[in-house]
Amino acid sequence: MISSREKIFNYAFLTLLAASVLFPIVYILGVAISPSTSGTLDLAHPQWSNFATAWQQAGFARYLRSSVIITGTVVGVSTVLAVMSGYAFGVLGVVGEKALFPLMLLGIMIPMESIIVPLYYDFLAFDLTDGYQGIILAHIGTGVSFGAFWMRAAFRTMPAGIAESAELDGAGSWTRLWRIYLPISRPAILTFVVLSFMWTWNDYFLSLILVADPAHQPLTLGLGTFSGRHLVQVNLLAAAAVLMSLPIVGLYLFFQRQFIRGMLSGALKG
């Protein structure tokens, strides 16, 4: 039994923690609709046109198209590769798994900063810079390690008896994956989709190195360029930042239940 004093302390701590997380968000939203360009809050006279002004002056329509192309392709391909590799390592068992799987996990353990220089020159040699192909390939390569680890853990949490019963009934490996493993592991898959979308959409470092052509730059680089021109107009800068974060917030709210379920159950076993 938890005592009343412990309950009060827990609720007070969680309230303080929630306030510390929500305060910067609320403040940025307040600045975004404030008529003051200095960052001072003025909620008595909200100026909702800041969002339209920031969108037009930053030319976000072009950057948004690039972000949608890059993120959509990366999330789609990475999800397929994550499911396939997780199923192979977690259920089917591949030859040399004990050596191959730790080798694949190097993609999680090695920081991107340590390999970005040789990666850039390799992409430059194959003419993969300043376009969609290079940045998409780089994101897929960096995300497949985590995807394999995540889906392998998710598949291994499932009762082995279900798949064994289906195998006795004549179901092949593809049928078991499509009819049994994918429906049960839906929360884990959607969690990976949200995480992959967030990492790719928010990426700045890889895009800055691999994409110099403004016609192919994503929103993060567009926001960086916009902030350089409007550093003194804090309200427009805050409005632009809010606009860029809306897709991630919307995606999380839409898949909130599945995301929480996937985070709680998808990586309990490895």
Side-chain angles (χ1 to χ4, degrees):
M1 287 290 293
I2 300 177
S3 64
S4 299
R5 182 177 297 180
E6 290 177 331
K7 287 183 179 180
I8 294 174
F9 174 79
N10 290 339
Y11 281 117
F13 176 75
L14 291 175
T15 302
L16 181 62
L17 185 63
S20 65
V21 172
L22 292 175
F23 175 76
I25 300 175
V26 175
Y27 182 80
I28 289 296
L29 289 174
V31 172
I33 62 175
S34 176
S36 173
T37 60
S38 63
T40 305
L41 288 178
D42 185 6
L43 301 181
H45 306 88
Q47 188 169 302
W48 297 98
S49 60
N50 287 344
F51 294 103
T53 303
W55 179 272
Q56 294 171 358
Q57 292 188 11
F60 271 179
R62 178 187 64 194
Y63 296 115
L64 177 64
R65 181 191 63 185
S66 297
S67 287
V68 169
I69 293 173
I70 294 170
T71 306
T73 306
V74 169
V75 171
V77 176
S78 297
T79 303
V80 173
L81 291 178
V83 171
M84 295 293 102
S85 56
Y87 185 61
F89 284 117
V91 179
L92 299 180
V94 296
V95 178
E97 176 185 356
K98 292 184 178 180
L100 289 176
F101 189 69
L103 184 63
M104 180 170 285
L105 293 183
L106 288 176
I108 302 176
M109 296 181 284
I110 298 178
M112 175 55 62
E113 290 78 5
S114 64
I115 62 172
I116 189 61
V117 174
L119 180 68
Y120 172 77
Y121 282 107
D122 285 342
F123 277 31
L124 187 64
F126 289 98
D127 197 22
L128 291 175
T129 57
D130 292 343
Y132 292 134
Q133 299 93 335
I135 188 65
I136 289 173
L137 185 61
H139 277 299
I140 293 174
T142 56
V144 69
S145 297
F146 174 79
F149 169 79
W150 181 263
M151 293 310 304
R152 174 180 178 268
F155 287 142
R156 288 198 168 187
T157 61
M158 301 179 189
I162 300 177
E164 291 174 357
S165 300
E167 187 176 3
L168 291 175
D169 291 337
S173 58
W174 286 104
T175 303
R176 297 198 304 273
L177 172 63
W178 185 257
R179 297 286 181 88
I180 299 174
Y181 284 96
L182 286 184
I184 298 178
S185 61
R186 182 182 176 186
I189 296 174
L190 292 178
T191 300
F192 176 76
V193 168
V194 174
L195 292 175
S196 179
F197 184 95
M198 180 183 66
W199 293 333
T200 308
W201 188 271
N202 286 338
D203 169 69
Y204 182 83
F205 181 67
L206 271 177
S207 301
L208 180 65
I209 301 299
L210 297 179
V211 186
D213 185 2
H216 299 94
Q217 289 179 341
L219 274 172
T220 49
L221 294 185
L223 181 62
T225 304
F226 181 75
S227 65
R229 297 199 310 263
H230 296 78
L231 193 60
V232 296
Q233 293 178 288
V234 182
N235 56 344
L236 293 183
L237 185 58
V242 170
L243 288 173
M244 200 193 86
S245 64
L246 285 179
I248 297 177
V249 175
L251 187 69
Y252 172 76
L253 292 176
F254 187 77
F255 293 118
Q256 182 179 6
R257 291 185 178 180
Q258 291 84 352
F259 181 82
I260 295 174
R261 286 177 57 193
M263 291 296 292
L264 292 177
S265 62
L268 290 179
K269 296 183 181 179

